[in-house]
């Protein structure tokens, strides 16, 4: 009997733990109710989110030490990630889909829905949601997001493997949330072109297509010391330090307006790449990493059937190629005008130039 006592004690302990785990799981399920089927209570523990739709779009968002990545290649848009997590935390079940319309909704979702998989770091043992042991990554949520209700106040969702669809919403928010679960990778792309502080910049080169005497390079030669070189004749020029610092400081956070790779015919993209650029801006940081963009003129949109080459130049936007010419984007003159002054502007002693609608007035 004495020999079996340790075994009996161990068995009692294991049984007690099993009972506690079962009770705890039932307790949490009862406490959270149906909203736990879609809601993520601890968004800080999310490591990955996978989204896929019926149009063969796939998006994998992953947490890394450098931030969130998109399909292991691009940086994900931080605001989009924040909005997704806010939605996962706030979403609530408003009601089950009515019996009368349930089969129709399920049929619609079979052809028009987005699959969402959420992965988190969770403990293998969770006692009363207080004692958490042995954390590991696992898939915690799998559900499908359908279209909005007729009054646009809710969104249809269904768990994987479930035969019951629900109408979900965010309390206090009137609208649908299906667009926040888009599987199109372009919707998750970060729009950053340049993101470098003044102290991190080694050099900046601004080239005007076909006009080398207006083009220049600025090199950081020391603490608040810079060298201005005109590219047309490789001549070093006296520099207005304040203007140069203002230029370099503007590279702290520069973004494009829209990614238009997939809505522009490839023939048009190739034609622009083979033509003379308007401007080319190249930034090299202190680690030797180079970031470059090229701009091209954009013609105005018109409802009339007028060939693009005969339309007026758009004075608000330009086309641009970024990420080693892999991405075709729209940029705004409003953002880039201050970076597109020619070399004379930065020469010491030259008058200040003011720009109005891209026409220069010299004071």
């Amino acid at each position: 009997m004495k020999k079996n006592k340790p075994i009996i004690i161990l068995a009692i302990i294991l049984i007690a733990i099993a009972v506690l785990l079962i009770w705890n799981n039932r307790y949490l399920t009862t406490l959270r109710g149906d909203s736990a089927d879609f809601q993520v209570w601890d968004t800080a523990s999310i490591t990955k989110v996978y989204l896929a739709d019926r149009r063969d779009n796939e998006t994998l968002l992953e947490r890394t030490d450098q931030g969130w990545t998109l399909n292991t290649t691009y940086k994900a848009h931080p605001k989009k990630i924040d909005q997704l997590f806010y939605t996962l935390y706030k979403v609530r079940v408003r009601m089950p889909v009515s019996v009368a319309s349930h089969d129709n909704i399920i049929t619609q979702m079979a052809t028009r829905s987005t699959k969402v998989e959420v992965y988190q770091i969770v403990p293998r043992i969770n006692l009363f949601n207080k004692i958490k042991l042995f954390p590991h990554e696992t898939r915690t949520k799998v559900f499908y997001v359908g279209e909005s209700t007729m009054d646009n106040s809710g969104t249809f969702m269904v768990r994987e493997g479930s035969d019951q669809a629900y109408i979900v919403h965010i309390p206090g928010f009137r609208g649908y949330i299906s667009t926040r679960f888009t599987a199109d990778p372009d919707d998750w792309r970060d729009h950053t072109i340049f993101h470098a502080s003044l102290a991190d910049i080694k050099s900046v080169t601004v080239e005007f297509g076909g006009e080398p005497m207006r083009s220049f390079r600025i090199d950081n030669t020391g603490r608040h010391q810079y060298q201005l070189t005109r590219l047309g004749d490789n001549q070093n020029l006296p520099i207005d330090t304040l203007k140069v610092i203002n230029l370099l400081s503007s590279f702290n956070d520069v973004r494009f307006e829209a990614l238009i790779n997939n809505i522009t015919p490839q023939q048009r993209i190739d034609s622009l790449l083979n033509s003379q650029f308007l401007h080319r801006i190249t930034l090299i940081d202190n680690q030797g990493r180079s970031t470059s963009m090229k701009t091209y003129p954009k013609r105005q949109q018109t409802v009339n059937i007028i060939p693009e080459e005969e339309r007026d130049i758009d004075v608000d936007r330009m086309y641009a190629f970024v990420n080693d010419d892999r991405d075709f984007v729209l940029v705004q003159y409003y953002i880039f005008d201050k970076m597109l002054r020619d070399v004379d502007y930065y020469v010491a002693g030259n008058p200040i130039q003011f720009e109005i609608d891209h026409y220069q007035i010299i004071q």
Side-chain angles (χ1 to χ4, degrees), residues 84-289:
L84 174 65
F85 285 5
Y86 175 85
T87 304
L88 288 170
Y89 179 71
K90 290 288 187 178
V91 67
R92 299 290 189 277
V93 170
R94 192 171 72 186
M95 66 179 69
V97 174
S98 66
V99 175
S101 59
H102 189 271
D103 289 347
N104 185 42
I105 295 301
I106 292 295
T107 300
Q108 289 181 6
M109 293 185 68
T111 57
R112 295 192 299 274
S113 65
T114 300
K115 182 179 183 181
V116 180
E117 298 180 4
V118 179
Y119 295 77
Q120 295 174 264
I121 297 294
V122 297
R124 295 185 186 276
I125 297 177
N126 185 356
L127 297 178
F128 307 105
N129 211 30
K130 298 293 184 182
I131 301 175
K132 302 178 181 181
L133 304 173
F134 310 117
H136 69 294
E137 182 185 57
T138 187
R139 189 175 67 176
T140 56
K141 304 285 180 184
V142 184
F143 55 86
Y144 293 85
V145 181
E147 298 181 337
S148 63
T149 57
M150 291 292 291
D151 60 358
N152 290 330
S153 65
T155 301
F156 297 111
M157 287 191 185
V158 63
R159 305 186 316 271
E160 185 176 59
S162 172
D163 56 0
Q164 175 62 59
Y166 295 90
I167 297 175
V168 304
H169 71 136
I170 295 177
F173 171 75
R174 181 171 177 81
Y176 53 91
I177 59 176
S178 55
T179 55
R180 303 183 183 186
F181 294 95
T182 173
D184 187 344
D186 288 352
D187 294 333
W188 294 98
R189 287 283 302 276
D190 182 32
H191 288 197
T192 301
I193 301 175
F194 298 106
H195 184 61
S197 66
L198 178 64
D200 291 332
I201 297 175
K202 180 179 180 181
S203 71
V204 167
T205 302
V206 178
E207 301 172 77
F208 296 82
E211 300 181 88
M213 294 303 289
R214 297 179 61 198
S215 306
F216 63 92
R217 185 182 68 252
I218 294 173
D219 293 290
N220 186 344
T221 58
R223 183 175 176 81
H224 300 311
Q225 296 182 355
Y226 305 95
Q227 180 175 290
L228 175 65
T229 304
R230 184 166 55 205
L231 299 184
D233 55 7
N234 207 33
Q235 180 179 352
N236 295 332
L237 303 173
I239 195 168
D240 187 317
T241 304
L242 181 58
K243 292 180 182 178
V244 167
I245 290 177
N246 286 336
L247 170 66
L248 299 182
S249 298
S250 65
F251 287 91
N252 183 57
D253 187 12
V254 183
R255 300 170 181 267
F256 59 81
E257 179 182 3
L259 184 69
I260 54 176
N261 282 342
N262 296 327
I263 62 174
T264 306
Q266 188 61 43
Q267 182 179 3
R268 175 61 176 155
I269 294 176
D270 293 339
S271 176
L272 283 174
L273 272 175
N274 292 324
S275 64
Q276 178 66 65
F277 58 79
L278 277 179
H279 319 92
R280 179 162 59 195
I281 303 176
T282 304
L283 182 149
I284 299 176
D285 65 18
N286 291 328
Q287 283 71 47
R289 295 175 297 218

Side-chain angles (χ1 to χ4, degrees), residues 206 208 214 216 243 247 279 315 318 332-346 351-363:
V206 178
F208 296 82
R214 297 179 61 198
F216 63 92
K243 292 180 182 178
L247 170 66
H279 319 92
V315 297
M318 300 177 284
Q332 298 180 8
Y333 275 109
Y334 173 78
I335 301 297
F336 286 91
D337 268 346
K338 57 182 175 290
M339 304 176 184
L340 300 177
R341 300 182 175 102
D342 64 24
V343 63
D344 291 338
Y345 176 82
Y346 300 99
I352 298 176
Q353 298 175 344
F354 299 91
E355 295 185 1
I356 301 178
D357 291 333
H358 318 304
Y359 292 98
Q360 293 183 343
I361 300 175
I362 299 181
Q363 180 179 357

